[in-house]
Amino acid sequence: MRVIGLTGGIASGKSTAADALESVGAPVVGSDVLARAAVAPGTGGLAEVVSTFGRDLLRPDGCLDREALGRRVWGDPEARRRLESIIHPPVRDATIAWLAQRRRAGSAAAVCDIPLLFEVGLHLAGSFVDRIWVVSVQPGTQLRRLMARDGLDAREAAERIALQWPLAAKAAQAHRVFENEGTPQDLRRQVVLAWAQTLEEVGDRPRTH
Ligand code: ADP
C-alpha cells in the first residue's frame, strides 16, 4: 500500500485538499483528529498533560481546555517541546495502527494528513510515508487566508506561521506540490488528479460497488 503524507503550512489549504480526497473515496486520516483523541478523557496522554502542566487545564467536564493549553505553551519553546513529546508518540502509534487496518482492508493507497510532517521528521529515511504532497501558497496569500480564517491580526498570524518550517523549504522536498493560488476548486482538481494517477501507478482497479 502506498502511503501519502499530505502536508503544507498553516492555512495553505491542507484541509481543503484532504476533503477533496475524501470526497472521491480516498482513505484519509488526520493527525489533528488523532492528536485530539490522544488527550481525550481517560487517556494516558491527558493524565500526562495534566501532571506536566497543571490541573487548571482541565475543564469542569473533564476535557482538556485546549485554548488554555495553547496559551500556556505559547512563546515557551521548552513547554511546547514537552507537550509534543507527550502527544506525538500516541499520534504516531494511532497512525500506524490505522495504516495497518487500511492494509488489511485491501486499500492500494492511503493518505495521512500531517500538518507538521517535516517538523516531526517524517520526510526522513525510515518514515512510514512513501510520498510527500505539499499544498503551497505564496507568503502573502498564506498570511491573508490565516488572518481571515482565524480572525488574527497580521502580527499574530505571522507569529503562527513562523513556528513552522517555511513553505518553500517544504515544497522543495516534496514529491508533488499543489499551488493553491487559484480557487479552492482549482486545488481540488489538482489533488483529485494526483489521487487518480496514484491509483493508476499502484495498479488499483476502480471499485464498482
Ligand atoms: P489548512 O488546513 O492548511 O490550515 P485550509 O484548508 O483550512 O488550510 O484553508 C485555509 C483558509 O483558506 C480556509 O478558510 C479556506 O476556506 C481558505 N482557502 C483555501 N483554499 C483557498 C483558495 N484557493 N482560495 C480562497 N480561499 C481558500
Side-chain angles (χ1 to χ4, degrees):
M1 185 176 77
R2 179 169 298 177
V3 179
I4 291 157
L6 176 68
T7 193
I10 185 169
S12 75
K14 295 177 302 295
S15 309
T16 308
D19 288 350
L21 290 167
E22 269 187 313
S23 75
V24 294
V28 180
V29 73
S31 30
D32 283 347
V33 173
L34 298 180
R36 272 192 285 278
V39 289
T43 58
L46 181 58
E48 229 181 312
V49 167
V50 168
S51 70
T52 307
F53 295 102
R55 292 203 67 79
D56 51 329
L57 291 176
L58 277 183
R59 293 197 317 228
D61 64 359
C63 290
L64 182 63
D65 185 340
R66 295 166 52 81
E67 285 71 39
L69 180 60
R71 284 193 298 274
R72 172 75 181 74
V73 302
W74 183 249
D76 183 345
E78 181 47 37
R80 182 174 293 276
R81 263 195 297 279
R82 261 188 301 160
L83 176 61
E84 287 171 352
S85 73
I86 296 170
I87 292 180
H88 289 168
V91 169
R92 184 186 173 87
D93 291 350
T95 306
I96 288 170
W98 181 85
L99 288 170
Q101 202 178 46
R102 293 318 317 164
R103 233 173 241 119
R104 282 195 298 276
S107 298
V111 179
C112 301
D113 170 5
I114 309 175
L116 297 179
L117 186 149
F118 286 97
E119 288 84 349
V120 302
L122 285 172
H123 59 303
L124 302 173
S127 167
F128 56 78
V129 171
D130 302 313
R131 296 285 190 284
I132 299 174
W133 292 2
V134 166
V135 182
S136 189
V137 280
Q138 295 304 310
T141 310
Q142 185 179 22
L143 192 74
R144 259 195 321 279
R145 288 188 188 152
L146 178 57
M147 289 168 66
R149 188 190 65 187
D150 293 355
L152 303 174
D153 65 32
R155 192 181 52 84
E156 291 167 329
E159 281 173 0
R160 279 168 178 71
I161 291 171
L163 285 176
Q164 306 185 336
W165 274 35
L167 256 174
K170 295 183 177 182
Q173 297 195 53
H175 296 94
R176 272 183 190 257
V177 179
F178 306 104
E179 292 295 345
N180 188 17
E181 288 293 327
T183 65
Q185 194 50 35
D186 292 334
L187 175 64
R188 287 190 200 105
R189 263 195 295 272
Q190 293 183 67
V191 293
V192 166
L193 177 64
W195 177 249
Q197 287 170 345
T198 298
L199 291 184
E200 230 165 75
E201 281 168 29
V202 297
D204 191 48
R205 301 269 169 285
R207 307 241 154 77
T208 48
H209 58 78

